Amino acid sequence: MRRILIVGGGYAGFYAAWKLEKKLRKGEAEVALVDPRPYLTYQPFLPEVVAGAVEARHAAVSLRRHLRRTRVIAGTVTAIDHAHRVVTVRPTDGDAFELGYDLVVVTAGAVTRKLPVPGVADEAIGLKHVEEAVAIRDRLLTSFDRAAALPDGPLRRKLLTVTFVGGGFSGVEGFGELLSLATALLKHYPELHRDELRFHLVEASGRILPEVTDRPGRWVVRELERRGARVHLDTLVTSATGGHVTLSTGEEFDSELIVWTAGNGANPVVGQHTDLPVDERGLVVVRPDLRVEGVADAWAAGDDAAVPDLASPVPGARTVPNAQHAYRQGKLLARNIIATLRGRRPKPYVHHSLGAIATLGLGRGIFQYRRLVVTGLPAWLMHRGYHVLAVPSWERKVRVLTVWLTAALFGRDILSLASVQHPRDAFVSGGDRPEWNEELPAPFKV
């Protein structure tokens, strides 16, 4: 029996395994999937997890629950030796081991691209996983609680300052949703005022949302600034040491919450630890049918693959790394693998974009398809409608819809569970919070 190994359980890997399970005949092949996380993160929902509009667990899809005929291995693939048909797996616990295969599917997914900016590694939070989205939300809610008990001063201003670095879809959507949440929180905090909120979006290029054209991009900047945000274009963060943000323009400010969404980089296992052919960006070079170029029994898709974009009029164009392509490529991977197993010719990947859509906060959004641009509430409703249909499994669709309907009736849930990240603190300290006392001015110490 042929052994199919899938490296990574993101969109492309999950859908490839899901469809293989449905289409493989009994005894035709066995499928294994290796991923350090036990779930697929539905990343388009992360900005709404940040805002509390989607329950964190509903933005994740359990691999073991839905991949019932796939061997799911909790671990990280650290090397791919295709010449010998083996990968090295580092499990969550225990020693690394080798895992053999007959056919490999590389869908390891991209990683957040970090730049050598002082302080970023110590202070910033990414926005690529559910845990990060939850931490961002809890950090903001906790900051509001702390700031409300303080007099006006440097610490209060720092607690009410938020900085997002990166103006792509992930950054802009997360920024817009968190700004919407912060604005809505003010009615519950009479001690705080709207003009005390300072939200900064920093983008190195001269525009945000590169997937839309210039005019809609400028509209998004105006919309965010109308709501009180500061958008810094053609600007770099040069330091974030101790939460003190310094910009290339010379502006400086203290920020309690720094979110880093400045693009993606190739997964190290693909870019550095494989004998498969990769391009200058560290992406696996594949044919239009998703087979690795010049290599037998190897396939790749998603953010780690340089997939030719046959729908683009630009010669040599590659598909952009987004969910719209990844899950379609995953499904085609399954069909093409089965086709080759049964002696048929695989089909090339061709997908014409359905447009670009983004949420900018409750009731606000933008959608563009060619020259058609929709903004405001209609675009926001389109965003929710599209993604509730796209999230895998009916179970997740129903859960997300239920949360949305509950929020429409009763409003946002503003409860912070930041202490969950340190569950032993209350037990160890006996209820004392000495680290808070060190930051409070003398009249407020307990």
Side-chain angles (χ1 to χ4, degrees):
M1 185 184 300
R2 300 269 285 178
R3 296 170 297 172
I4 301 172
L5 177 64
I6 300 175
V7 180
Y11 295 105
F14 174 83
Y15 277 99
W18 206 16
K19 296 301 178 182
L20 282 170
E21 285 191 351
K22 295 178 180 180
K23 296 179 179 296
L24 283 171
R25 298 167 184 159
K26 186 176 181 180
E28 190 171 19
E30 59 183 15
V31 182
L33 184 149
V34 182
D35 196 280
R37 286 181 168 80
Y39 56 80
L40 155 73
T41 300
Y42 190 72
Q43 292 181 356
F45 277 158
L46 292 186
E48 298 207 50
V49 172
V50 166
V54 170
E55 168 63 34
R57 286 184 175 85
H58 300 168
V61 179
S62 170
L63 298 180
R64 291 185 181 275
R65 177 169 183 172
H66 296 284
L67 302 180
R68 298 174 182 174
R69 294 169 52 199
T70 297
R71 180 189 175 193
V72 177
I73 302 169
T76 302
V77 172
T78 58
I80 302 173
D81 182 0
H82 190 64
H84 297 92
R85 300 295 197 274
V86 67
V87 300
T88 302
V89 179
R90 186 179 67 239
T92 304
D93 299 294
D95 298 327
F97 60 90
E98 291 187 341
L99 187 64
Y101 63 83
D102 296 304
L103 185 152
V104 69
V105 177
V106 181
T107 54
V111 296
T112 301
R113 182 182 62 188
K114 295 187 292 290
L115 301 178
V117 179
V120 165
D122 298 321
E123 302 293 335
I125 303 174
L127 186 52
K128 201 169 185 63
H129 302 290
V130 173
E131 302 94 330
E132 294 171 323
V134 172
I136 291 168
R137 169 182 164 80
D138 286 342
R139 180 80 66 87
L140 180 76
L141 294 173
T142 301
S143 293
F144 266 65
D145 285 331
R146 296 173 64 189
L150 291 173
D152 186 28
L155 180 55
R156 176 164 163 147
R157 288 193 292 272
K158 178 181 180 180
L159 289 168
L160 297 177
T161 300
V162 174
T163 305
F164 271 65
V165 185
F169 262 85
S170 178
V172 171
E173 288 190 310
F175 184 80
E177 287 285 354
L178 199 65
L179 176 60
S180 179
L181 172 61
T183 304
L185 283 175
L186 289 172
K187 66 181 179 181
H188 302 288
Y189 291 85
E191 306 92 339
L192 306 179
H193 305 286
R194 177 66 186 85
D195 56 6
E196 292 185 275
L197 295 182
R198 292 173 175 83
F199 272 67
H200 299 268
L201 176 62
V202 184
E203 167 55 39
S205 69
R207 51 169 300 180
I208 61 174
L209 295 180
E211 289 87 349
V212 304
T213 54
D214 289 344
R215 187 175 178 183
R218 290 193 295 269
W219 178 87
V220 173
V221 172
R222 292 195 302 270
E223 168 67 12
L224 293 173
E225 291 180 337
R226 183 187 65 81
R227 293 161 55 190
R230 289 278 309 279
V231 180
H232 307 264
L233 300 178
D234 293 314
T235 304
L236 299 172
V237 172
T238 58
S239 176
T241 303
H244 184 76
V245 178
T246 303
L247 304 182
S248 58
T249 58
E251 186 173 351
E252 299 182 28
F253 50 86
D254 290 326
S255 182
E256 176 67 12
L257 176 57
I258 302 172
V259 182
W260 187 269
T261 61
N264 295 324
N267 192 300
V269 69
V270 175
Q272 305 168 24
H273 303 291
T274 179
D275 56 354
L276 297 173
V278 297
D279 66 10
E280 67 282 356
R281 297 171 297 170
L283 304 180
V284 180
V285 180
V286 300
R287 305 174 186 176
D289 59 14
L290 306 180
R291 287 183 290 182
V292 176
E293 185 67 51
V295 179
D297 299 325
W299 305 71
D303 293 354
D304 274 332
V307 181
D309 190 352
L310 301 185
S312 172
V314 180
R318 298 289 186 265
T319 58
V320 297
N322 61 25
Q324 189 177 139
H325 285 298
Y327 93 87
R328 288 180 171 83
Q329 290 171 7
K331 292 192 289 186
L332 180 65
L333 261 176
R335 294 196 296 268
N336 279 353
I337 288 172
I338 289 172
T340 57
L341 291 177
R342 298 172 185 172
R344 300 197 304 268
R345 179 176 296 181
K347 296 182 178 180
Y349 175 76
V350 183
H351 172 63
H352 296 273
S353 174
L354 301 176
I357 191 166
T359 175
L360 303 174
L362 188 63
R364 301 176 177 92
I366 185 168
F367 168 77
Q368 181 177 18
Y369 177 71
R370 296 182 180 177
R371 295 185 179 182
L372 173 65
V373 178
V374 180
T375 61
L377 180 61
W380 179 77
L381 292 172
M382 293 167 66
H383 178 274
R384 285 203 160 184
Y386 172 80
H387 285 300
V388 80
L389 290 174
V391 67
S393 84
W394 278 102
E395 172 251 348
R396 278 296 180 261
K397 299 179 199 296
V398 172
R399 289 183 186 273
V400 170
L401 278 173
T402 301
V403 172
W404 282 344
L405 291 173
T406 303
L409 290 173
F410 301 107
R412 299 173 186 265
D413 189 334
I414 63 168
L415 178 66
S416 169
L417 293 177
S419 59
V420 171
Q421 299 168 39
H422 306 281
R424 296 184 66 251
D425 282 359
F427 171 74
V428 173
S429 68
D432 188 24
R433 297 296 299 274
E435 73 277 12
W436 279 34
N437 287 338
E438 293 172 2
E439 297 180 349
L440 293 176
F444 288 83
K445 288 190 176 183
V446 297

